Amino acid sequence: MDSLAPHTEVRVAVAQCFRTLSTSTEPEEIISSLQTLHSFLDEGPESRSTPDQRAEFSRAHFTRTLQFLLSNIQADWLLGLSAAQRTDLWDGLFLRGPPEQALLVLMEGISELKASTSLDLLISITERFLLSGRLAALLWSSCLQTAPSDSPQLRETLLARIVALPDLTANRLHLKNKPCFCPQQYFTLLASEMLTALERTCQALKDGTDCSLIFVAQTLGKVCVQGHSGPVFAVMAPRLSVCTRSDMVWQRVCWKLLQNVPQRWMESVLTGLVQAVRGPDAFGRIVGNLVLTNKKAQYVVTHKLLLLQYKYETQVLRTVLGYLAADRERRPLLLQVLRALSQAWANPSAVRHTPLEQQLYVSKALLLSVNLLRDAELQELRSELLQCMLGGMQSHLDSSVVRIRHMGMVVGECLSARMDLNNTKLKFEYDQDEETLELLSLMTPISGEEPEEEPENGVTSPQETSGKTTQNASCQNKSQSDPGSDLDSDDEFSPYDMSADQEMTKESPRYLRDCLETLISSEDSVRVELSLRVAEALVRKNVFAAREISVQLTKVLLHTEDKYSIRGFLSLRQTTMVALAVTDCIPVTQYLTTEFYSMNYGLRQRLDILEVLALAAQELSKPISEERSPSVGVSSCTDLTPYPGDNPVHWRQVVERRIQSKTKRLTQGATQPPAKATPNRYAPVAGHFFFPLLSNYDKPQVTFDLLGGDHLVLGRLIHTLGLFMHLAVNAPVAAQMGRALLDFVWAVRYHADQMVRRGVLFAVCSVFLSMPSQNLLVDLNEQLFETRTWLADVAEGDPDEDCRNLAIQSLVLLDKSLKKQLQDQQALGMET
């Protein structure tokens, strides 16, 4: 019975205090009861309670006491206390004792109370709780418990309250939230408190005291999995990196901390840490050999960070791969990673179906891995890397995307240089841009830690510049004063009289037929160049003469090659062919559309045909200006007709402009005078541009297979047809063109090449923009539901970002057209 005496005394004393606070109105009795409750929390030499009584109060009565205080937060005796008494006696009970119990009670009270002075009081106490280091005390108290003393449910509740504190306060306070409760500041504070707990743990271990990091690790994991790893590791990573550099106890504490992180939260912790550390050395000191003992950590580091996710910076790849290469026991994982990366990079299906950003990410990881190999390891993997290089380069060079081709060229060059195949290195010709330069720079090794910023070198001071200038001037004067310098002078030779000479010049052709004859038969490069430079102006100046030889001149220009390296040859040839197609539209268009499917043409010529037709259609669809200079209109049209892969942003802007043109806006004030109406020259001939290109697409030729390997031409063909559809808005043939275009692109909507899929989506956008809304419901009624379902699938799951954006735009256009048609039908029904 003696052992129960302290428990009984505490229970009786607490009950007496509760009765007094509930019934008494005397201030002295109120203050005495609160002081009695405080006595069970005093640990100094002057404390009136024994250690057993204090332990019993903290175990069984502290939470009840705080809950009793909250239930009497509106009591008269509390309002009768002075500010100093309330801060010391009432608030102090929440700021002393077991911090985990105080935090749970405070969070429960904040969740239940409405906006009032009572809520303001709890918010003030919670703010003092955070700023007085009680979170560090909470974490440290859990470290001293080598075995969990509470239930798993209570621990989960406590974790949830710690992590969700900013959300709970924001939901209750709204715009009146305190700064320390904002996520950025709160989680920065929490990170500092976790560091404090870890520092105390290190000191306790040095003093021979056992500690447990389970709760701290769970807190870290819970914070990271809810998306707050950035501010937490921004504080913790630099400190851990410094402390682990020379202190083995700190290293053991960090390793144990990460080992105790629950498996379900391991990925969030590692991804946050690897982005915050400065290099692989720091990451290795903090993590240790966790990838060898923890399967989830190994999967995240060796697979997920390198092959599945691609949102991280290049520094993350350097850190991960450098960490694997830094230790002898971890190097087998580096070879395993290299094999997986080489297979992923060389996979033709991955090149076609994965986003370009992910392919670039894998390419960076592959180059970094190869650069970390030792010579013996390189010889071991030589055959695998050679197979990867050859197969991967073939897959990349076959792509219709320029960036993917450049990627394959750069990686091929770097791999061949690293393997040193018979002292031969691959070398490709490509335009170096920021992306290719970054890939090339990955083959340059760097130190494990991020280097410090160094002052710029190579800047010459003004004094040095002045000195060099003076020295050069003196040398020059010396050479001029040297008598030997006049030996080679040419002053004694008299100049030759050339006053009667005449410059030999050739006149430009003045007739279009002369240009034709020159291009057919002349071998004089100057005459050929002059003919090309004046051909467009002559076509536009003399329409009748141009129509006589339009088809013949178009044929000659289509087959003309740049034998003399004429400056601007392609542009000169293209603008002349566009002028011929505009001047004599139907015959030239019929010839070009027929030749597009003819044999014995290269892909470049077929692409030239599509470009000329697109530029001519755009020029015909524009009003005729009174003053026009040759090639100005065509060059301006060129900026409006990009093909998929060249600049997809432009043709999204075309769609956006078309949407804006259909949007009604109410404005006030002066308006511009209406534009003068002019006939649309394209509408009557739109069918001549459009339908012949749909006639033979499914008939493979000897040198041309549109639905097979020539997907580059297929993508540009679909885009050109979509452009013809877009320009045919309000044309009588628009509905017929829209039905035919949808039938054509429907068969290739799931094409493997992303350029083809972009063209299909652009064509669908053009149909929804150009076809009248009533025709969409009448002519395409059966296809609309299936089309909408397909567009929704593309918008959600297509690997290409441009395809997803175009699918979203198509859905918006379709919904607007259907909504407008339904409103028109309802209005018509109300009138009748």
Side-chain angles (χ1 to χ4, degrees):
M1 296 298 294
D2 294 337
S3 62
L4 298 178
H7 300 171
T8 304
E9 292 176 359
V10 173
R11 184 171 67 252
V12 172
V14 171
Q16 180 62 36
C17 291
F18 286 0
R19 282 195 299 270
T20 302
L21 293 174
S22 301
T23 60
S24 178
T25 58
E26 296 296 329
E28 293 80 6
E29 295 180 357
I30 299 296
I31 294 175
S32 176
S33 298
L34 292 176
Q35 289 175 345
T36 300
L37 294 175
H38 268 276
S39 67
F40 292 112
L41 299 176
D42 293 336
E43 297 181 357
E46 299 179 357
S47 176
R48 295 181 296 174
S49 60
T50 64
D52 292 340
Q53 291 176 338
R54 292 195 296 269
E56 174 64 15
F57 180 80
S58 298
R59 184 189 66 83
H61 301 284
F62 183 67
T63 298
R64 289 179 53 243
T65 300
L66 297 184
Q67 291 174 342
F68 174 80
L69 294 179
L70 286 183
S71 64
N72 290 273
I73 196 171
Q74 292 289 348
D76 293 337
W77 59 264
L78 177 60
L79 300 177
L81 296 176
S82 65
Q85 290 174 336
R86 190 192 65 186
T87 301
D88 182 42
L89 298 177
W90 202 88
D91 298 1
L93 284 172
F94 289 90
L95 302 177
R96 302 171 64 185
E100 65 278 3
Q101 299 182 38
L103 181 63
L104 289 175
V105 174
L106 287 171
M107 291 294 98
E108 182 181 1
I110 292 175
S111 301
E112 294 177 353
L113 292 177
K114 303 296 182 182
S116 61
T117 55
S118 301
L119 178 62
D120 294 341
L121 178 59
L122 283 190
I123 292 297
S124 175
I125 296 175
T126 306
E127 185 177 13
R128 291 176 57 193
F129 182 91
L130 296 180
L131 299 180
S132 60
R134 297 302 290 166
L135 279 179
L138 188 157
L139 296 170
W140 171 237
S141 65
S142 68
C143 294
L144 293 176
Q145 300 174 2
T146 56
S149 60
D150 49 9
S151 65
Q153 294 79 8
L154 180 60
R155 179 162 295 207
E156 285 293 332
T157 303
L158 181 59
L159 282 174
R161 293 300 186 184
I162 292 175
V163 178
L165 189 147
D167 298 331
L168 294 174
T169 56
N171 290 335
R172 185 59 61 192
L173 300 178
H174 302 290
L175 298 178
K176 297 181 181 179
N177 201 6
K178 298 288 185 179
C180 66
F181 298 148
C182 295
Q184 183 68 32
Q185 297 188 23
Y186 172 75
F187 288 108
T188 299
L189 173 65
L190 180 59
S192 300
E193 303 293 57
M194 284 192 284
L195 283 174
T196 301
L198 294 178
E199 290 176 358
R200 294 177 181 176
T201 301
C202 289
Q203 187 60 44
L205 292 176
K206 294 177 182 178
D207 295 338
T209 304
D210 292 337
C211 297
S212 173
L213 294 174
I214 295 178
F215 186 77
V216 179
Q218 291 175 346
T219 304
L220 178 61
K222 186 82 170 180
V223 168
C224 292
V225 81
Q226 294 198 4
H228 305 293
S229 60
V232 168
F233 280 117
V235 176
M236 295 186 67
R239 179 63 179 165
L240 295 179
S241 176
V242 173
C243 292
T244 56
R245 187 170 296 169
S246 57
D247 194 335
M248 283 301 300
V249 176
W250 263 104
Q251 291 187 19
R252 287 181 53 204
V253 167
C254 292
W255 298 349
K256 196 66 176 178
L257 175 69
L258 293 176
Q259 289 172 9
N260 288 327
V261 173
Q263 294 292 307
R264 62 187 184 277
W265 299 333
M266 181 64 71
E267 178 183 349
S268 301
V269 173
L270 288 177
T271 54
L273 178 61
V274 77
Q275 294 179 80
V277 295
R278 294 174 62 89
D281 292 344
F283 187 69
R285 292 195 303 269
I286 297 173
V287 176
N289 285 334
L290 184 66
V291 293
L292 301 179
T293 59
N294 190 299
K295 292 296 183 183
K296 183 60 177 293
Q298 182 181 125
Y299 173 75
V300 171
V301 172
T302 63
H303 188 77
K304 202 160 189 178
L305 286 175
L306 301 176
L307 292 170
L308 299 184
Q309 298 177 347
Y310 53 93
K311 61 182 178 180
Y312 305 110
E313 300 293 335
T314 308
Q315 180 59 34
V316 172
L317 292 175
R318 292 186 183 273
T319 299
V320 171
L321 296 171
Y323 161 74
L324 296 178
D327 187 81
R328 178 175 56 84
E329 297 180 356
R330 299 193 295 262
R331 286 197 73 87
L333 293 179
L334 176 65
L335 303 184
Q336 174 185 330
V337 164
L338 179 57
R339 290 187 176 95
L341 288 171
S342 61
Q343 292 174 3
W345 187 80
N347 189 350
S349 179
V351 175
R352 292 194 301 267
H353 297 100
T354 56
L356 191 148
E357 293 77 11
Q358 185 174 7
Q359 298 182 43
L360 178 61
Y361 189 81
V362 172
S363 300
K364 294 178 182 178
L366 176 61
L367 293 181
L368 288 171
S369 302
V370 172
N371 194 37
L372 291 171
L373 289 181
R374 296 168 180 164
D375 293 339
E377 296 168 338
L378 185 63
Q379 292 298 325
E380 177 184 350
L381 298 173
R382 189 185 185 94
S383 60
E384 297 180 35
L385 289 177
L386 180 60
Q387 183 179 2
C388 158
M389 181 184 72
L390 297 179
M393 284 176 51
Q394 182 66 35
S395 302
H396 283 75
L397 295 178
D398 286 344
S399 174
S400 59
V401 184
V402 177
R403 290 176 61 189
I404 293 180
R405 294 200 297 270
H406 287 176
M407 199 183 307
M409 296 177 189
V410 175
V411 174
E413 287 183 359
C414 295
L415 291 180
S416 66
R418 183 69 178 90
M419 290 187 293
D420 193 18
L421 300 172
N422 299 325
N423 296 325
T424 58
K425 299 180 182 180
L426 293 177
K427 187 63 179 175
F428 295 95
E429 293 184 1
Y430 52 85
D431 296 330
Q432 290 192 350
D433 52 15
E434 183 178 354
E435 192 172 284
T436 57
L437 291 176
E438 182 183 9
L439 288 174
L440 292 171
S441 67
L442 298 179
M443 299 303 291
T444 303
I446 62 173
S447 60
E449 298 289 346
E450 185 176 329
E452 300 290 339
E453 293 185 2
E454 297 179 359
E456 295 182 0
N457 296 325
V459 180
T460 306
S461 63
Q463 293 81 0
E464 293 175 350
T465 304
S466 176
K468 291 180 180 180
T469 304
T470 305
Q471 184 179 2
N472 293 338
S474 62
C475 293
Q476 182 178 0
N477 294 334
K478 181 179 179 180
S479 63
Q480 290 178 355
S481 60
D482 190 357
S485 62
D486 294 336
L487 295 178
D488 296 331
S489 175
D490 295 335
D491 292 342
E492 66 273 13
F493 296 104
S494 58
Y496 185 77
D497 185 10
M498 301 178 62
S499 59
D501 290 357
Q502 297 181 355
E503 184 179 358
M504 299 294 294
T505 59
K506 295 183 180 181
E507 295 182 357
S508 301
R510 291 181 295 175
Y511 298 98
L512 192 58
R513 192 171 293 276
D514 293 340
C515 294
L516 175 61
E517 295 297 333
T518 300
L519 294 175
I520 293 176
S521 59
S522 179
E523 297 293 335
D524 190 340
S525 61
V526 177
R527 291 184 59 194
V528 172
E529 181 177 358
L530 291 175
S531 298
L532 285 174
R533 295 195 181 280
V534 301
E536 183 197 359
L538 294 177
V539 170
R540 299 186 183 277
K541 182 178 180 181
N542 194 338
V543 176
F544 296 102
R547 289 176 177 174
E548 291 180 358
I549 59 172
S550 58
V551 175
Q552 186 178 4
L553 182 56
T554 302
K555 180 178 180 180
V556 171
L557 290 170
L558 185 62
H559 292 81
T560 300
E561 298 178 355
D562 189 13
K563 298 186 296 183
Y564 308 110
S565 300
I566 298 174
R567 184 179 180 182
F569 171 81
L570 295 176
S571 176
L572 294 173
R573 186 184 66 161
Q574 184 184 79
T575 54
T576 305
M577 294 173 68
V578 171
L580 289 168
V582 171
T583 302
D584 197 12
C585 182
I586 295 179
V588 175
T589 302
Q590 289 178 345
Y591 170 76
L592 291 176
T593 53
T594 302
E595 294 301 302
F596 179 77
Y597 289 108
S598 298
M599 297 177 61
N600 301 325
Y601 279 99
L603 297 182
R604 178 67 261 175
Q605 291 171 304
R606 300 183 198 276
L607 295 177
D608 290 340
I609 292 175
L610 293 177
E611 292 176 3
V612 170
L613 291 174
L615 293 172
Q618 282 194 324
E619 183 175 344
L620 288 172
S621 66
K622 291 185 177 182
I624 304 176
S625 59
E626 296 180 0
E627 296 181 0
R628 177 187 178 88
S629 60
S631 74
V632 171
V634 177
S635 62
S636 63
C637 292
T638 306
D639 296 335
L640 300 177
T641 58
Y643 286 99
D646 294 341
N647 195 350
V649 177
H650 278 302
W651 42 285
R652 288 205 302 270
Q653 294 174 352
V654 172
V655 176
E656 289 291 344
R657 287 197 298 268
R658 190 69 181 93
I659 296 175
Q660 296 299 327
S661 68
K662 287 195 172 187
T663 304
K664 295 182 179 180
R665 290 182 174 84
L666 300 177
T667 59
Q668 295 180 354
T671 59
Q672 296 181 353
K676 183 180 179 181
T678 57
N680 188 339
R681 296 177 294 165
Y682 173 72
V685 297
H688 295 280
F689 283 84
F690 184 84
F691 292 107
L693 291 177
L694 290 176
S695 58
N696 297 314
Y697 68 90
D698 57 347
K699 298 178 181 179
Q701 304 292 337
V702 177
T703 59
F704 182 50
D705 187 6
L706 196 60
L707 297 181
D710 297 321
H711 43 78
L712 173 62
V713 183
L714 177 62
R716 294 206 173 186
L717 171 63
I718 296 175
H719 180 270
T720 304
L721 293 172
L723 180 64
F724 293 158
M725 184 72 222
H726 171 68
L727 298 176
V729 60
N730 299 324
V733 76
Q736 184 180 357
M737 291 172 61
R739 291 195 302 270
L741 183 55
L742 278 184
D743 291 339
F744 169 57
V745 301
W746 194 252
V748 293
R749 67 188 186 279
Y750 291 117
H751 199 280
D753 190 88
Q754 58 188 1
M755 295 294 102
V756 177
R757 299 198 305 274
R758 288 182 189 176
V760 170
L761 290 165
F762 174 71
V764 172
C765 283
S766 300
V767 171
F768 292 159
L769 282 170
S770 302
M771 281 190 69
S773 56
Q774 62 270 18
N775 289 96
L776 284 177
L777 284 176
V778 175
D779 298 339
L780 304 177
N781 187 23
E782 299 179 356
Q783 302 179 13
L784 285 182
F785 178 76
E786 192 173 358
T787 302
R788 181 180 175 80
T789 304
W790 163 67
L791 289 174
D793 293 339
V794 174
E796 182 179 359
D798 196 285
D800 185 66
E801 181 181 2
D802 291 319
C803 290
R804 296 194 298 268
N805 294 335
L806 281 171
I808 294 174
Q809 291 179 352
S810 299
L811 287 172
V812 172
L813 292 173
L814 179 59
D815 290 343
K816 285 186 177 181
S817 298
L818 296 180
K819 183 178 180 180
K820 179 179 181 300
Q821 179 60 20
L822 292 176
Q823 290 176 349
D824 293 343
Q825 290 181 357
Q826 291 177 357
L828 183 61
M830 293 177 61
E831 293 178 358
T832 56

